[in-house]
Amino acid sequence: MTGRTTGHVARRTYDQQCALAYALDVIGERWTLLIIRELLSGPQRYSAMLDALPGIGSNLLAERLAFLVDRGLVVQSEPGRRTSGYELTELGGSLRPAVLDLARFGLTYAARERPAPGSVVTGAWAKLAIEAMVDERRAADLAETYQFEVDDEVFHVAVDFGRVRTLAGPATDPTLTVRTDATSFFKLGLRQLDPVEALVTGAVQATGSGPAVMRCLWLIGLAKDPPAGLATPERESRAGTHS
């Protein structure tokens, strides 16, 4: 990699006329995608991001944000004020599918590894994890809402016959409510904790019917077999070959 100067900061660049290399020139440095992760949930104050990214340091966060603002991925919501926040531009928001794909890869890869001792885990990351875990192809026959309460983080998944939205805040009338702590939540996502065991031991508490629990587990990929009567990608594919 070679170096170029942006503002007062020398930055490395691959100097390749390749779309992937161009993308990595902007988002490939350490911490940058995690800053994007925080902003995908909505506008954030600088202090909130600093708290959400333990280990980054205030100067490095300021430098990364300034670079993202310069490149048009982030904008200050109230420029010139000490309480100014930051939010993604349309260009920055277009990174959501890529971030979700990387999160899916991370869930698959991390399932083979043991977490490093002392690694940070927080409920604030649960919403993005669920968004990555959801398989919309499994939602063709579903029309219900699942609420998740992970430590202090509350969000819900609204399913409407194939359309799935993961939304911040509580649902009006959830079909199922799932409560757990961040450690148990991520152990489930990494296949290090069996869902049935989690329910039996109380690590996860569910308010709703047993079938709703199974439909939710199927939607987010934690059930091996589909609940009876639900359309599956495999069934839909077979049906299409005979039509």
Side-chain angles (χ1 to χ4, degrees):
M1 295 181 71
T2 59
R4 289 181 179 171
T5 300
T6 301
H8 300 291
V9 180
R11 304 191 68 86
R12 293 181 299 175
T13 174
Y14 289 100
D15 268 337
Q16 296 180 10
Q17 292 193 24
C18 159
L20 180 59
Y22 283 134
L24 292 175
D25 282 346
V26 179
I27 62 172
E29 291 208 68
R30 182 172 166 81
W31 294 107
T32 299
L33 275 177
L34 297 186
I35 293 171
I36 299 294
R37 175 196 69 191
E38 296 303 313
L39 294 174
L40 280 172
S41 63
Q44 301 288 334
R45 299 292 186 191
Y46 180 87
S47 58
M49 281 190 286
L50 195 59
D51 290 341
L53 297 165
I56 190 173
S58 182
N59 289 341
L60 184 56
L61 175 58
E63 186 270 315
R64 291 286 191 271
L65 284 169
F67 176 73
L68 291 171
V69 169
D70 179 71
R71 291 306 174 96
L73 275 68
V74 172
V75 65
Q76 282 187 275
S77 53
E78 298 176 81
R81 298 188 60 178
R82 290 185 61 187
T83 57
S84 175
Y86 292 84
E87 57 187 299
L88 293 173
T89 62
E90 183 177 354
L91 178 62
S94 71
L95 285 167
R96 179 180 292 274
V99 170
L100 291 175
D101 280 341
L102 284 170
R104 292 182 190 105
F105 169 80
L107 286 167
T108 301
Y109 183 81
R112 313 182 321 175
E113 306 289 324
R114 288 197 173 275
S119 57
V120 177
V121 60
T122 172
W125 301 331
K127 178 176 175 290
L128 183 70
I130 286 291
E131 197 170 349
M133 293 165 70
V134 163
D135 185 345
E136 288 192 339
R137 299 174 303 164
R138 297 183 171 189
D141 287 350
L142 292 176
E144 49 194 19
T145 303
Y146 312 124
Q147 180 167 303
F148 292 86
E149 300 174 8
V150 184
D151 288 341
D152 295 330
E153 189 75 9
V154 180
F155 60 95
H156 62 280
V157 178
V159 189
D160 185 16
F161 298 114
R163 184 189 182 201
V164 183
R165 295 175 296 153
T166 306
L167 305 166
T172 302
D173 186 21
T175 311
L176 173 71
T177 298
V178 178
R179 302 178 186 86
T180 189
D181 60 274
T183 299
S184 298
F185 175 86
F186 284 101
K187 282 184 177 180
L188 283 167
L190 297 176
R191 312 302 197 275
Q192 296 168 354
L193 178 61
D194 180 76
V196 175
E197 178 187 348
L199 288 166
V200 169
T201 62
V204 173
Q205 297 153 17
T207 303
S209 69
V213 171
M214 296 310 299
R215 290 191 295 269
C216 179
L217 290 174
W218 169 247
L219 179 69
I220 63 177
L222 293 183
K224 293 181 181 179
D225 300 309
L230 278 188
T232 70
E234 294 78 13
R235 290 173 186 164
E236 292 294 320
S237 177
R238 286 198 295 269
T241 61
H242 296 296
S243 60

